[in-house]
C-alpha cells in the first residue's frame, strides 16, 4: 500500500437548500479507495449514496470538501458511470450506445470498432447490436450500460444500483458477469447498493452509511477469495454472520433516523 | 402412449391459435372496409339525394357530375396549372416556416435564457392570424408567389417552434446526465441528444403545421392571387360554377390526406426506435 490511493475524498459535505430549509445529504465524508479495489457503498435509501456518486461523476458540486481521482494517462476519461436503469439512450442502437463514450471523445474509428466489438461480445449482445433499447429486455439494457462504461476505459467506474430494477435471477447472472469482466480489467469500482447480499458478493470492502445526515459509520473488509459465485457466498457461514451484523447495523440506523 | 396424447394436444393447440389468427385477420379486414365505407356511403347518399332533388342540385351537384367536371378541367390543362402553382406555394411556404421554426425551437429548448427571451414573443404573436396581416404582406411583397409563401410560413412557424422547444425541454434528464458524463460537447450534444430526443414531439408540430398550411393557402389565394386552387374555388363560386368549386375543394381535401400519409411515412423513417 505504498501507492497513493486511486480515489481520495476529504471532508466532503453536500447540503441541499430549498425554501429556507437545509437538508444535509452528505456530512464530512472521508474515504480513500485503492487502485483496483471494488468498494460497495451500502446504506438505506435517502442516505446520500447517489449524491456522493454524482459529485464524483462531476454532475454535481460539493458544498464543502474535495475529492481527487488519480490519473494514469491523459487520454483516459476520469470516470464513467453506470446509471440506475433507463441509462441507455433510446434513439441509439445497442452498438451505438456501447460506442457512445468513445465517439464523444472522438477516438479513431478502428479503436471504437475494436473496443465496441470486444465488449459487445463480453456481455453477449453481439447478435443484438443493431436493435434499439425498446426491443431488448431490462437485463440486456443493463448489459449495454456495463459494456458502454468498460469500453470507455476510464480511470474509475461508478455504479449506481445498476441491478436494482432487475428480477432476482437476472440480477445474479449479471452480478457474476460483472465480476468476470471486472476481474480482467481490475478497474477501481465504487458501487452503490442497498442490498446486503449484493455488497457481500461483489466487494473487497463495504462502506456502511447512515441516514440524515448521510455519514460513513463503518467499514468492513470482505476477504473471500475470488472468483466468487452466488451459491458460494450464500452458503458461507462467515458471510451469514456478516449479513446479520450489517443487517442489525442498518436497522439501528433506520430506527435512529425515525426518532429524529 | 403418452407421446401420442401429447401430439394430439400439440395439434389442437396449433389449430386453436390458427383459428384465433384467422379471426383477428377477418376483424382487421372489416376495419379496413369500414374506413373506406364511410366516405363511399356519404358520396352515394349525396348522389341519390341530389338526383332525386331532395337537396338542391344547384348547390350540391351529384358527385358523378363533379367527377365529370374534374376530367373536363383536367383535359384543358387549366386545372394542373392551378394545382402546380398552389403546390409550389404550399411547399415553399411550409419550408420557409418550418426550417427557422426548428432552428429557433432547438435553441430555445437547449438554452434557457434564449427560451425565456423568446417565449413571451412567441406567445404574444401566435394568436394573431397571419391572414389578418395579409393586406400588409400584400403591400410589402405584392401579389407575388412569395407573399403567399410568407403568409403560409407565418402560420406554420408557431406550432412547430412551440413543439420543438417543448420536445427538447422535455428530454429525460438522465440522458443529459449520460451525455455529460460521457463527455459530449456542444455539437455532438446537439446532434446526438437534443435533435433526436426532440424529434417525436417536433414531428407532431410539423403535422399540425401541414394542416394549417392547407387552410392558409386557400384563404390566401382567395384574397390576393390570380391563380391557384384557392383562386379557382373563389372565382368558380363568384361565377356560380359550383361544380368547379367542388373540384377545388375536393382537391384540397385530397392534398391534406396525401400530406398526412407522407408525414406519417417520414415519421417511420426518422423515428425508427419508436414502435
Ligand atoms: N436535487 C436535490 N434537491 C434537494 N434534495 C435532494 C436532491 N437530491 C437528493 N436530495 C436529498 O438528499 C438526500 C439523499 O438523496 P440520495 O443521494 O438520492 O439518496 P440515496 O441514493 O442514498 O437513496 C435525500 O434526503 C434527498 O431527498
Ligand atoms: Mg439512489
Amino acid at each position: 500500500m505504498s501507492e497513493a490511493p486511486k480515489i481520495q475524498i476529504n471532508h466532503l459535505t453536500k447540503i441541499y437548500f430549498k425554501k429556507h430549509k437545509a437538508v444535509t445529504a452528505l456530512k464530512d465524508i472521508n474515504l480513500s479507495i485503492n487502485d483496483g479495489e471494488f468498494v460497495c457503498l451500502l446504506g438505506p435509501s435517502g442516505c446520500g449514496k447517489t449524491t456522493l456518486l454524482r459529485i464524483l461523476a462531476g454532475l454535481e458540486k460539493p458544498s464543502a470538501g474535495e475529492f481527487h481521482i488519480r490519473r494514469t494517462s491523459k487520454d483516459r476519461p476520469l470516470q464513467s458511470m453506470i446509471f440506475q436503469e433507463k441509462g441507455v439512450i433510446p434513439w441509439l442502437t445497442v452498438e451505438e450506445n456501447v460506442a457512445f463514450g468513445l465517439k464523444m471523445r472522438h477516438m479513431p474509428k478502428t479503436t471504437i470498432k475494436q473496443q465496441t466489438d470486444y465488449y459487445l461480445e463480453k456481455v453477449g449482445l453481439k447478435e443484438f447490436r443493431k436493435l434499439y433499447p425498446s426491443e431488448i429486455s431490462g437485463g440486456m439494457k443493463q448489459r449495454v450500460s456495463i459494456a458502454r462504461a468498460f469500453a470507455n476505459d476510464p480511470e474509475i467506474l461508478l455504479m449506481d444500483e445498476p441491478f436494482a430494477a432487475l428480477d432476482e435471477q437476472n440480477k445474479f447472472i449479471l452480478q457474476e458477469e460483472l465480476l468476470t469482466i471486472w476481474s480482467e480489467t481490475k478497474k477501481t469500482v465504487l458501487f452503490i447498493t442497498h442490498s446486503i447480499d449484493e455488497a457481500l458478493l461483489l466487494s473487497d470492502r463495504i462502506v456502511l452509511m447512515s441516514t440524515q445526515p448521510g455519514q460513513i459509520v463503518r467499514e468492513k473488509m470482505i476477504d473471500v477469495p475470488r472468483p466468487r459465485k452466488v451459491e458460494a457466498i450464500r452458503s458461507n457461514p462467515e458471510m451469514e454472520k456478516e449479513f446479520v451484523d450489517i443487517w442489525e447495523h442498518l436497522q439501528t440506523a433506520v430506527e435512529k433516523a425515525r426518532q429524529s | 402412449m403418452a407421446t401420442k396424447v401429447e401430439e394430439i394436444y400439440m395439434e389442437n393447440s396449433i389449430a386453436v391459435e390458427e383459428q384465433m389468427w384467422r379471426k383477428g385477420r377477418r376483424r382487421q379486414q372489416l376495419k379496413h372496409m369500414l374506413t373506406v365505407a364511410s366516405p363511399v356511403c356519404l358520396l352515394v347518399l349525396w348522389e341519390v339525394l341530389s338526383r332525386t332533388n331532395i337537396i338542391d342540385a344547384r348547390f350540391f351537384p351529384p358527385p358523378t357530375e363533379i367527377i365529370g367536371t374534374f376530367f373536363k378541367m383536367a383535359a384543358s390543362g387549366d386545372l394542373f396549372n392551378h394545382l402546380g402553382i398552389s403546390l409550389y406555394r404550399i411547399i415553399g411556404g411550409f419550408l420557409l416556416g418550418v426550417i427557422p421554426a426548428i432552428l429557433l425551437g432547438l435553441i430555445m429548448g437547449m438554452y434557457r435564457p434564449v427560451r425565456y427571451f423568446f417565449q413571451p414573443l412567441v406567445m404574444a404573436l401566435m394568436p394573431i392570424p397571419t391572414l389578418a396581416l395579409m393586406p400588409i404582406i400584400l403591400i410589402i411583397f405584392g401579389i407575388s408567389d412569395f407573399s403567399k409563401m410568407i403568409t403560409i410560413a407565418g402560420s406554420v412557424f408557431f406550432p412547430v417552434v412551440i413543439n420543438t422547444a417543448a420536445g427538447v425541454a422535455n428530454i429525460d434528464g438522465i440522458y443529459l446526465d449520460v451525455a455529460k458524463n460521457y463527455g459530449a460537447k456542444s455539437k455532438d450534444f446537439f446532434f446526438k441528444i437534443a435533435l433526436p430526443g426532440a424529434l417525436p414531439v417536433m414531428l407532431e408540430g410539423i403535422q399540425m403545421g401541414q394542416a394549417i398550411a392547407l387552410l392558409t393557402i386557400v384563404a390566401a389565394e382567395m384574397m390576393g392571387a390570380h391563380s391557384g386552387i384557392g383562386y379557382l374555388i373563389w372565382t368558380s363560386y363568384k361565377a356560380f360554377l359550383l361544380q368547379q368549386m367542388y373540384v377545388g375543394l375536393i382537391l384540397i381535401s385530397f392534398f391534406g390526406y396525401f400530406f398526412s400519409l407522407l408525414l406519417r411515412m417520414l415519421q417511420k423513417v426518422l423515428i425508427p426506435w419508436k414502435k
Side-chain angles (χ1 to χ4, degrees), chain B residues 4-260:
Chain B
K4 198 71 179 208
V5 173
E6 248 168 50
E7 231 168 74
I8 291 169
Y9 265 119
M10 265 320 277
E11 260 166 44
N12 272 345
S13 309
I14 292 172
V16 166
E17 287 302 318
E18 193 180 341
Q19 218 167 11
M20 292 292 281
W21 178 76
R22 270 177 210 288
K23 217 187 227 171
R25 209 177 53 162
R26 262 202 302 277
R27 207 171 297 148
Q28 206 65 36
Q29 282 166 346
L30 187 68
K31 244 189 262 172
H32 285 309
M33 259 165 56
L34 285 175
T35 332
V36 182
S38 63
V40 170
C41 277
L42 181 73
L43 287 175
V44 169
L45 190 71
W46 180 354
E47 182 82 29
V48 171
L49 291 180
S50 180
R51 294 257 175 223
T52 53
N53 267 324
I54 295 174
I55 54 172
D56 196 330
R58 285 172 308 170
F59 299 124
F60 301 102
T64 44
E65 274 183 32
I66 296 175
I67 293 170
T69 312
F70 169 78
F71 282 115
K72 252 182 264 161
M73 288 166 78
S76 80
D78 214 24
L79 186 61
F80 291 111
N81 286 340
H82 288 302
L83 211 66
I85 198 81
S86 283
L87 209 57
Y88 169 61
R89 289 166 183 161
I90 292 171
I91 293 172
F94 183 70
L95 293 179
L96 207 61
V98 165
I99 293 169
I102 289 175
L103 291 178
L104 181 62
L106 285 173
I107 295 169
M108 276 172 73
M110 274 174 64
Y111 303 106
R112 226 169 271 212
V114 180
R115 178 150 83 244
Y116 291 150
F117 183 79
F118 280 106
Q119 196 129 307
L121 279 180
V122 170
M123 290 302 172
L125 293 178
M126 185 177 57
I128 301 175
T130 338
L131 282 170
L133 299 176
M134 207 45 200
I136 298 172
I137 294 173
L138 285 176
I139 289 170
I140 299 174
F141 298 103
I143 303 187
S144 60
D145 287 340
F146 192 65
S147 67
K148 262 67 86 189
M149 287 184 192
I150 288 282
T151 313
I152 293 172
S155 338
V156 168
F157 181 80
F158 291 98
V160 178
V161 91
I162 288 171
N163 271 45
T164 307
V168 179
N170 291 335
I171 294 175
D172 197 327
I174 192 160
Y175 307 132
L176 310 185
D177 284 346
V178 170
K180 194 171 172 208
N181 190 245
Y182 283 84
K185 299 284 181 309
S186 51
K187 182 174 149 258
D188 288 317
F189 182 81
F190 188 86
F191 285 108
K192 295 281 173 189
I193 304 290
L195 187 60
L199 213 48
V201 182
M202 191 169 95
L203 282 175
E204 267 163 44
I206 291 177
Q207 185 83 261
M208 256 195 289
Q210 167 263 321
I212 293 174
L214 285 177
L215 293 176
T216 309
I217 185 66
V218 175
E221 285 175 343
M222 281 180 176
M223 278 197 249
H226 301 307
S227 57
I229 297 290
Y231 171 78
L232 175 74
I233 292 170
W234 183 239
T235 46
S236 308
Y237 165 73
K238 280 202 297 192
F240 213 69
L241 299 167
L242 288 199
Q243 297 191 3
Q244 298 199 6
M245 183 191 85
Y246 276 111
V247 168
L249 289 178
I250 288 169
L251 279 176
I252 283 292
S253 132
F254 173 76
F255 268 167
Y257 184 68
F258 175 72
F259 284 136
S260 289

Side-chain angles (χ1 to χ4, degrees), chain A residues 14-18 23-26 43-54 60 84 160-161 192-194 209 211-212 214:
Chain A
K14 177 73 185 179
I15 290 170
Y16 288 109
F17 192 85
K18 275 199 183 134
V23 176
T24 310
L26 293 172
S45 100
C47 74
K49 305 183 295 292
T50 298
T51 305
L52 179 57
L53 217 64
R54 287 177 63 83
E60 243 157 286
Q84 230 165 351
D160 188 0
E161 308 201 32
I192 286 182
T193 180
H194 60 254
M209 286 182 72
T211 187
Q212 310 283 320

Side-chain angles (χ1 to χ4, degrees), chain A residues 152-171:
Chain A
N152 205 26
D153 191 26
E155 296 285 354
I156 66 164
L157 286 165
L158 303 168
M159 312 192 187
D160 188 0
E161 308 201 32
F163 309 137
L166 300 180
D167 60 85
E168 284 267 284
Q169 208 134 24
N170 250 315
K171 196 188 293 189

